[in-house]
Amino acid sequence: MGATERDQDGTIAALKKVAAQFAVAVTPHLQAQIDPSDPQDPIARQFLPDAAELVTLPHEREDPIGDTAHSPVAGIVHRYPDRALLKLVNVCPVYCRFCFRREMVGPGSKGLSTEQLDAAIEYIAQHPAIWEVILTGGDPLIVSPRRLKEVIARLNAIPHLGVIRIHSRVPVVDPARITDEMIDALKSSDKAVWLLLHANHAREFVPEAVNAIRKLVGAGVPMLGQSVLLKGINDSPAALTDLFRAMVANRIKPHYLHHGDLARGTSHFRVSLAEGQQLMRRLRGHVSGLLQPTYILDIPGGHGKVPVGPVYAEPQDDGSWQVSDPWGCSHQYDDPATR
Ligand SMILES: *Cc1c(COP(=O)(O)O)cnc(C)c1O
Ligand code: SF4
């Protein structure tokens, strides 16, 4: 056996181990976009398993954002008073290698049973403080349009709900699922249905994806973008600019840039907070204000999401403020309202 063959056997064994721990799936749509000659291909790196996932660092957790601590009934995560997650399914058309719910999602995990869905919807109906329901999972747009329409109808009947929000990656990873029936289901509510698209690289915006997005926005579904900051995929000013331009050019407002969660086996994707702030500084002033998301950390342990800078204004001992401009120069601001 030659050295390369041995290496290949080793790699295959490692990948089998990865697949035994974490779900693996790639849609034919994405498969077709991978450039096999590029070892750093941003599509391949996001979706194809890597032996590096077998490395778990001490600070990594099975439930990095504390979903279980805030789950009163199956399928519901209620951490903030005015909004709750409703996890219809635990499956996705693809499995992102950096997924923050990687211990919970996968083809083996069960979605909600009829009784569990009834109980989850009852929980929302019994809590008038809940103004917004966020369908997430798993990817909620993997369910059939008929089932989605049913769920939307039941949510639509709850008077205190103002908004139904859907978190999905489907328009870019499996755009063929955005059929006329799916659009019809999304349009079937009197309440606003917002769609938050998860996308991390400009290469995800191929013509099929752009068409799916055009259908959605054309149907009056407002869209926001959420991305994860990922080492070697989008951790450069150019990659982030291209990504956010692709969103805005397709009528999607970049909303959150997530600092990577401490999920097991994801250290090869990790960028430091300081680097993240530096990248955000680079965007401010250099590219359109429409392109600027909020840089967000979900504090490990279920303590909530907060913006993590960068900070441009700092109070001084003399009561004035030091404010830095987009190019890094400091200016003094005497706040007339406190004088
Ligand atoms: C992320 C998250 C939300 C949504 O928070 P926003 O800041 O409104 O996007 C709501 N509930 C839970 C449990 C979450 O993890
Ligand atoms: S689409 Fe979301 S839930 Fe599904 S694997 Fe990717 S990050 Fe995880």
Side-chain angles (χ1 to χ4, degrees), residues 65-67 70 77-80 82-85 100-101 132 134 165 167 196 226 255-256 258 296 298 304-305:
I65 64 167
D67 276 350
H70 295 94
V77 183
H78 193 188
R79 181 167 61 176
Y80 307 100
D82 80 329
R83 56 210 192 276
L85 309 184
F100 61 121
R101 291 208 179 100
E132 179 181 25
I134 302 169
R165 188 198 315 183
H167 282 192
L196 262 84
Q226 59 172 343
H255 177 53
Y256 279 177
H258 293 275
I296 292 283
D298 209 324
K305 293 185 179 71

Side-chain angles (χ1 to χ4, degrees), residues 62 67 73 188 207 240 248 256 279 307 323 338:
E62 294 195 5
D67 276 350
V73 297
S188 63
L240 288 177
V248 172
Y256 279 177
L279 286 164
V323 185
T338 57

Side-chain angles (χ1 to χ4, degrees), residues 92 94-96 98-102 105 137-139 169 198:
C92 301
V94 288
Y95 293 99
C96 312
F98 44 85
C99 175
F100 61 121
R101 291 208 179 100
R102 58 191 333 210
V105 296
D139 197 314
R169 216 161 174 6
H198 171 189

Side-chain angles (χ1 to χ4, degrees), residues 4-326:
T4 5
E5 278 172 65
R6 240 189 337 265
D7 283 356
Q8 260 179 11
D9 284 354
T11 311
I12 290 168
L15 294 183
K16 277 190 177 149
K17 258 189 175 169
V18 173
Q21 282 191 47
F22 305 113
V24 179
V26 185
T27 55
H29 169 80
L30 283 179
Q31 190 72 50
Q33 290 163 40
I34 294 173
D35 172 2
S37 69
D38 178 4
Q40 292 304 317
D41 182 273
I43 306 294
R45 284 211 56 223
Q46 286 189 75
F47 304 109
L48 299 187
D50 188 313
E53 292 173 51
L54 296 172
V55 178
T56 297
L57 298 184
H59 54 266
E60 293 177 343
R61 308 168 176 232
E62 294 195 5
D63 181 10
I65 64 167
D67 276 350
T68 13
H70 295 94
S71 183
V73 297
I76 295 280
V77 183
H78 193 188
R79 181 167 61 176
Y80 307 100
D82 80 329
R83 56 210 192 276
L85 309 184
L86 171 55
K87 301 199 236 174
L88 282 185
V89 287
N90 289 318
V91 287
C92 301
V94 288
Y95 293 99
C96 312
R97 304 325 302 162
F98 44 85
C99 175
F100 61 121
R101 291 208 179 100
R102 58 191 333 210
E103 315 277 348
M104 304 169 210
V105 296
S109 46
K110 290 214 165 35
L112 290 183
S113 68
T114 311
E115 295 74 34
Q116 284 172 326
L117 179 61
D118 289 350
I121 290 180
E122 186 56 22
Y123 178 88
I124 297 166
Q126 294 300 323
H127 288 77
I130 302 178
W131 171 80
E132 179 181 25
V133 167
I134 302 169
L135 299 182
T136 177
D139 197 314
L141 294 189
I142 204 170
V143 308
S144 71
R146 185 188 49 77
R147 172 130 191 263
L148 187 68
K149 198 171 182 172
E150 258 168 44
V151 172
I152 288 180
R154 293 177 73 180
L155 296 175
N156 194 42
I158 301 175
H160 58 259
L161 281 187
V163 164
I164 300 168
R165 188 198 315 183
I166 298 179
H167 282 192
S168 179
R169 216 161 174 6
V170 160
V172 288
V173 302
D174 205 1
R177 286 183 187 270
I178 308 299
T179 56
D180 292 345
E181 293 73 42
M182 184 64 89
I183 297 284
D184 182 52
L186 296 173
K187 278 169 69 178
S188 63
S189 174
D190 304 331
K191 308 193 195 279
V193 175
W194 286 67
L195 185 54
L196 262 84
L197 174 72
H198 171 189
N200 302 319
H201 196 275
R203 283 261 314 277
E204 293 168 52
F205 291 78
V206 294
E208 295 91 328
V210 165
N211 277 337
I213 294 164
R214 196 169 288 160
K215 267 188 175 174
L216 289 160
V217 179
V221 177
M223 287 182 73
L224 298 174
Q226 59 172 343
S227 309
V228 185
L229 183 57
L230 297 166
K231 188 172 176 178
I233 293 173
N234 59 19
D235 63 333
S236 71
L240 288 177
T241 300
D242 289 350
L243 168 64
F244 298 143
R245 281 188 176 160
M247 286 183 179
V248 172
N250 285 292
R251 294 180 280 177
I252 300 171
K253 169 74 183 87
H255 177 53
Y256 279 177
L257 175 64
H258 293 275
H259 188 70
D261 291 314
L262 300 177
R264 284 198 303 140
T266 60
S267 56
H268 52 302
F269 287 117
R270 206 149 291 145
V271 178
S272 72
L273 262 182
E275 287 168 295
Q277 291 187 335
Q278 199 50 40
L279 286 164
M280 290 296 296
R281 275 186 195 281
R282 271 287 311 184
L283 292 183
R284 174 67 59 188
H286 291 85
V287 298
S288 163
L290 285 179
L291 266 59
Q292 317 284 332
T294 306
Y295 181 35
I296 292 283
L297 174 70
D298 209 324
I299 306 169
H303 303 291
K305 293 185 179 71
V306 286
V308 279
V311 172
Y312 291 92
E314 283 177 284
Q316 305 298 298
D317 290 342
D318 66 1
S320 74
W321 291 81
Q322 235 9 77
V323 185
S324 60
D325 68 29

